[in-house]
Amino acid sequence: MSAQSSAKEAAERTAAVSFAEISSKRRGPIRRYFHARPVAMDWVLIIATALFGLPNVVVTLGKGEWLPLVLLLVVCAALAFRRRFPWPVLAVATVSDVLTILYTSTGSSSIGIWIAIYTLATTVRAAVAVAGAIVVGALMVAAMGINLPPEISESIASGELPPYVGLVSGVIMILFNVIAAGIGVTVRRDRLHDMELHRWAADNAMLASAKERNRIAREMHDVVAHSLSVMVALSDGAAVVVKKDPQRAGEVLGQLSTTGRTALADMRRVLGVLREGGQQPTAPLEPAGSELADLVEGFRAAGLPLKVVTSGPPLPEDPNFRLNAYRIIQESLTNVLRYARGMSEVELTVARSDGQVYICVSDDGRAPANVKSLGAGQGIAGMRERAAIYSGQVACGPRPGGGWIVEATLHWPGEELAHD
């Protein structure tokens, strides 16, 4: 199974669980019970159909007629398959009611046909469901017109009932069928709405999962790229001075060991997020020793002639903002350490004013010829993604007088809102 499909399944499971909780809260305890047990709901409807048709069966049995009992049992048996075969079940219920009207002394009293119409309406378009309900009602009205019960015929003939009583009864019968279809259409609409919400929740879970994977990938890139670059520079420096200045070499090796331990701590922190069962961390993945001063001193120890210029208030206290600014500076200085040669000065500028933070890293070095990239080519893209979180941008390229420059601008709305 691919990592993408696994992530998709995990996101869908997360969305399904969250959506199930929301849907469950909207239902009462009885609806929740039967929603979780559809077979139990089917048995309730079968029993209700049998009980509703029982008085008519008892009356006809007293007259020696067995057909209503047989037809009622057939309808009850058919309703057990209503979810899988709604059209055949409706056909069985319709034929049963028409036969009851035509060949017995009493009219149909089964609610099975309404249940069948309702079930059909939950599976087809509204227009089809309503049309089916009207056609079924028309068939029953036609059957009543062919075999009108004797007592009703006598009442019409004697004037006790108006002659249009049959038409009124037929309209009422069709109306009840349409109402049953309307209930089913409403249920189908709600189910489709729930499915759409479920898809929406799954899509959002997938998007959140992808965002988190990208965030972790950026953190891993920053940790590995920075730490390895500094460790390579320190080890090269230690190899140069080990014979000339053993004490200095020992200090460099100590710094190398500290950098390695810091890198391990950062990697454990980032990878620890992956062991949390897909839960989103509530705090940013701050690196060990995340103070800017510590970062600067680490690069100086690795051999960068680094000059720092700051102006304006300190960076905002928001940990996410500070982390993004830290990572942009870290990536920029790491690239200088990797690629710049023969530099005499590297300048880091951090300025905050008018609701924005300006970061600039520039050097006067030269890029070595035919240099092979040491990274994955995602550093600049990662910086731009971090800046975009705060409506900022990153521009980088060669300086006119030689060297390289990276400029980043991040907007911090908190400061502007404080003055409103």
Side-chain angles (χ1 to χ4, degrees):
M1 182 179 294
S2 66
Q4 183 177 4
S5 61
S6 299
K8 183 177 181 181
E9 289 181 6
E12 288 178 349
R13 285 196 298 268
T14 302
V17 171
S18 302
F19 181 76
E21 292 175 354
I22 296 173
S23 298
S24 178
K25 291 179 180 178
R26 293 193 297 113
R27 301 186 183 100
I30 297 177
R31 287 186 63 196
R32 283 200 300 269
Y33 178 86
F34 286 112
H35 183 267
R37 300 167 180 83
V39 175
M41 186 73 248
D42 291 342
W43 276 107
V44 168
L45 294 178
I46 291 172
I47 293 172
T49 301
L51 292 177
F52 196 87
L54 188 61
N56 186 59
V57 169
V58 171
V59 171
T60 52
L61 285 176
K63 298 178 180 180
E65 299 176 3
W66 289 85
L67 183 60
L69 175 60
V70 173
L71 294 176
L72 180 63
L73 293 176
V74 169
V75 171
C76 290
L79 289 178
F81 303 95
R82 68 187 184 93
R83 298 178 189 272
R84 295 180 59 187
F85 308 105
W87 281 107
V89 170
L90 177 59
V92 170
T94 302
V95 171
S96 174
D97 274 20
V98 169
L99 291 177
T100 302
I101 294 172
L102 289 176
Y103 297 105
T104 66
S105 58
T106 60
S108 172
S109 60
S110 171
I111 62 172
I113 196 165
W114 295 338
I115 297 174
I117 291 173
Y118 158 81
T119 304
L120 177 67
T122 62
T123 61
V124 299
R125 293 184 295 111
V128 175
V130 172
I134 293 174
V135 169
V136 168
L139 291 175
M140 296 179 65
V141 171
M144 290 177 60
I146 296 173
N147 184 27
L148 198 64
E151 57 271 17
I152 296 180
S153 300
E154 293 174 2
S155 298
I156 294 175
S158 63
E160 296 180 7
L161 293 176
Y164 53 83
V165 65
L167 178 63
V168 173
S169 300
V171 171
I172 293 175
M173 187 177 300
I174 294 175
L175 181 61
F176 273 109
N177 288 354
V178 171
I179 291 174
I183 297 173
V185 168
T186 302
V187 171
R188 179 174 182 267
R189 181 198 61 193
D190 292 342
R191 290 176 181 174
L192 292 176
H193 179 64
D194 286 351
M195 291 173 60
E196 185 64 28
L197 288 178
H198 189 284
R199 285 194 295 269
W200 175 83
D203 291 343
N204 275 272
M206 279 292 295
L207 180 61
S209 178
K211 272 184 76 175
E212 185 61 13
R213 286 198 305 271
N214 289 337
R215 188 169 81 97
I216 293 173
R218 284 199 307 266
E219 295 297 329
M220 286 296 295
H221 169 271
D222 292 339
V223 169
V224 174
H226 163 256
S227 300
L228 290 183
S229 298
V230 172
M231 291 172 72
V232 168
L234 289 172
S235 61
D236 289 344
V240 171
V241 302
V242 65
K243 294 181 179 179
K244 298 179 180 180
D245 190 350
Q247 182 178 357
R248 174 59 181 161
E251 293 175 357
V252 173
L253 290 174
Q255 184 67 34
L256 177 62
S257 176
T258 301
T259 303
R261 289 191 177 92
T262 302
L264 284 175
D266 288 342
M267 291 183 68
R268 289 192 185 103
R269 185 177 294 104
V270 174
L271 294 176
V273 176
L274 301 178
R275 302 190 187 101
E276 295 176 1
Q279 295 178 357
Q280 299 290 332
T282 56
L285 301 173
E286 294 189 16
S290 59
E291 291 298 327
L292 186 58
D294 298 334
L295 181 67
V296 169
E297 289 304 318
F299 277 106
R300 284 175 176 161
L304 283 187
L306 188 55
K307 174 185 176 183
V308 179
V309 178
T310 61
S311 64
L315 291 177
E317 292 299 326
D318 180 75
N320 286 294
F321 188 95
R322 295 178 72 92
L323 175 62
N324 280 280
Y326 178 95
R327 290 302 194 193
I328 291 173
I329 296 171
Q330 182 187 60
E331 177 64 25
S332 302
L333 292 176
T334 299
N335 288 338
V336 175
L337 185 64
R338 280 176 174 173
Y339 305 117
R341 299 292 183 269
M343 55 196 162
S344 61
E345 183 179 78
V346 180
E347 184 173 297
L348 166 63
T349 303
V350 180
R352 180 184 179 189
S353 64
D354 298 330
Q356 70 178 22
V357 173
Y358 172 75
I359 299 171
C360 178
V361 176
S362 63
D363 67 85
D364 58 358
R366 67 181 188 281
N370 301 323
V371 65
K372 183 180 292 186
S373 176
L374 301 176
Q378 300 299 319
I380 295 176
M383 287 193 292
R384 285 174 174 155
E385 289 175 2
R386 291 184 183 279
I389 295 174
Y390 293 95
S391 303
Q393 57 187 3
V394 173
C396 56
R399 295 199 313 174
W404 191 265
I405 184 171
V406 176
E407 295 179 293
T409 304
L410 286 73
H411 296 277
W412 176 243
E415 184 176 285
E416 298 172 351
L417 293 174
H419 291 84
D420 287 346

